[in-house]
Amino acid sequence: MDNKKRLASTCVKRAKAKNVRAGASSAYVKRLKAALVKKEIHSNTIQQKNHNEISKVKPKQKGLADDARERLESARFRYLNEKLYTTSSSEAWNFFQEDPESFGVYHKGFKNQVLKWPVNPLDIIISDILKGPKHWVVADFGCGEAQMAHTIPNQVHSFDLVAANDKVTACDMASVPLAMKAVDVAVFCLSLMGSNIHDFLKEANRVLRIGGLLYVAEVESRCKNIQEFLKNIERFGFQLKENSLQKYFFLAKFNKIQNMSPKATLPRLYLKPCLYKKR
Ligand code: SAH
C-alpha cells in the first residue's frame, strides 16, 4: 500500500471510530488528513535528522582500556600456555581445578593463534575420520571445546582438563574413564602438552583396539627431529601409516599393532614448549 492510500484508510478508520455524521465526516477527514500528512512530514524530517546525526558518528575507536585489557589477556594466555607445556599433567589438572575460569582465557588465545594458520590440523583429522565408518568410536584427547564431537556423527569421547561444554569429560588424559580397547580412533590434536606425554600415549594404547587409528598433530617447531619423534611413538605399540608436514605443524597417522603392558619400559618423550610471541 502506498503512503496516500495508507493515510486515507487510516483517516476513514479514525472517522468511523469517532462515529461522525456523513457531512461533518468529510470535513473531519480533510482536517485529519492534513494533520496526518504534516505529522508524517515532521516525523520523516526527524528520522532524516537522526540518520544524518548517526552517520556523522565515527566508528568506535579502540580505547586505552580495550588495549590494556587485550594486553592483559594476551599476557595471561602466554602464562597459561607456558604452564601447560612445562608442568606435569597432574599439576595442570590441579591448577585448573582451582582456577577453571583461566581455561576460557587460554582457549580464546589458542583460537586466535590457530586462526592465523592457513590450515587447522583438526579440520584435516575430521575430514579423514569422516571417510571411515560412522560406527567407529573416537577418543579426542585434549579436545578443547570439543569441536570434533560437535562436527562428526560418530560417538566421540571428548576429554580435557576443564569441561567447556556438556560434550566434554573433565579429566587428566593420562588416565581417562574408558575401558581397555574401547575405541577405534584416538586423536591428539595439538594437545601433547605437559612433561609426561609418554603417559598420554600409553593411555591411548590402552583404550584403542588393535588395528585402531591414532592421529597426532603437533607444532613443527616443538620437535628437534620429527622422524625420530615418530619412531619413538611407534615404541608405544603403534605403526606409522601416514605422515605429512604442513605449514606450522606435522600430522601423523598410526595403527595400533600391539597391546602394551602397563609395566613395559617406554621412553620418556620430550617436545619443546610452543611459546607464542608477545603481540
Ligand atoms: N584439540 C583441540 C584443542 C587443542 S589445545 C583443537 O585442536 O582444537 C590443547 C588442549 O589440550 C587444551 O584444551 C588443554 O587443556 C588440553 N590438555 C593439555 N593437557 C591435558 C591433560 N593432561 N589432560 C586433558 N587435556 C589436556
Side-chain angles (χ1 to χ4, degrees):
M1 202 189 284
D2 64 23
N3 264 358
K4 268 188 178 173
K5 280 190 189 156
R6 204 179 66 236
L7 269 174
S9 106
T10 316
C11 293
V12 172
K13 274 185 204 150
R14 290 195 188 184
K16 279 184 182 161
K18 279 227 158 196
N19 200 17
V20 286
R21 276 182 296 117
S25 165
S26 76
Y28 173 75
V29 168
K30 266 188 195 161
R31 277 205 319 274
L32 193 58
K33 257 188 191 176
L36 280 170
V37 168
K38 205 171 151 194
K39 193 174 164 191
E40 183 128 314
I41 291 167
H42 179 65
S43 108
N44 283 348
T45 318
I46 290 177
Q47 276 175 25
Q48 185 61 38
K49 202 175 156 211
N50 285 345
H51 174 76
N52 292 346
E53 293 296 324
I54 289 164
S55 51
K56 266 190 234 159
V57 179
K58 288 194 185 128
K60 201 183 163 210
Q61 298 211 330
K62 212 165 80 175
L64 273 177
D66 291 332
D67 205 44
R69 189 176 33 77
E70 271 181 27
R71 274 169 196 277
L72 262 176
E73 277 187 359
S74 160
R76 212 164 148 212
F77 162 67
R78 277 181 281 107
Y79 165 76
L80 294 166
N81 186 60
E82 186 166 345
K83 191 162 197 71
L84 278 170
Y85 278 120
T86 52
T87 56
S88 71
S89 65
S90 59
E91 280 172 89
W93 168 257
N94 289 337
F95 176 81
F96 279 115
Q97 287 299 297
E98 276 167 32
D99 184 9
E101 272 167 33
S102 283
F103 195 75
V105 177
Y106 174 77
H107 268 277
K108 193 170 168 199
F110 170 79
K111 274 194 271 185
N112 283 341
Q113 292 298 330
V114 177
L115 274 177
K116 292 180 192 153
W117 295 8
V119 195
N120 182 338
L122 191 63
D123 292 335
I124 306 182
I125 298 173
I126 286 176
S127 69
D128 209 59
I129 294 176
L130 283 172
K131 291 181 198 151
K134 286 192 185 49
H135 63 79
W136 275 5
V137 179
V138 181
D140 188 1
F141 287 83
C143 62
E145 292 166 344
Q147 199 190 319
M148 168 103 67
H150 283 105
T151 313
I152 66 173
N154 306 52
Q155 184 187 0
V156 183
H157 299 282
S158 306
F159 302 115
D160 209 301
L161 294 166
V162 173
N165 55 59
D166 59 7
K167 299 258 182 211
V168 185
T169 302
C171 67
D172 173 1
M173 63 188 179
S175 168
V176 297
L178 284 178
M180 281 169 74
K181 304 177 200 163
V183 303
D184 305 280
V185 183
V187 177
F188 291 96
C189 185
L190 307 174
S191 57
L192 288 178
M193 306 175 101
S195 52
N196 54 321
I197 57 181
H198 51 279
D199 289 333
F200 309 148
L201 292 165
K202 261 187 175 173
E203 188 64 348
N205 178 282
R206 185 184 73 79
V207 301
L208 261 178
R209 65 161 167 86
I210 293 272
L213 293 175
L214 168 74
Y215 291 88
V216 175
E218 260 316 326
V219 179
E220 182 199 351
S221 59
R222 294 191 63 200
C223 217
K224 236 186 189 170
N225 182 330
I226 296 175
Q227 296 312 323
E228 199 176 289
F229 181 68
L230 300 180
K231 275 248 153 295
N232 276 329
I233 293 185
E234 287 191 317
R235 292 173 65 185
F236 288 73
F238 301 105
Q239 185 174 48
L240 185 63
K241 243 180 110 164
E242 285 165 30
N243 172 25
S244 69
L245 188 59
Q246 310 279 338
K247 193 158 185 193
Y248 301 123
F249 65 89
F250 62 87
L251 172 58
K253 187 172 160 182
F254 300 83
N255 271 130
K256 173 175 165 179
I257 53 167
Q258 195 188 341
N259 292 321
M260 301 307 289
S261 145
K263 286 184 194 143
T265 17
L266 292 163
R268 275 190 83 90
L269 298 189
Y270 177 75
L271 285 173
K272 283 184 261 179
C274 172
L275 304 178
Y276 298 102
K277 290 187 200 108
K278 267 190 186 178
R279 268 192 282 165

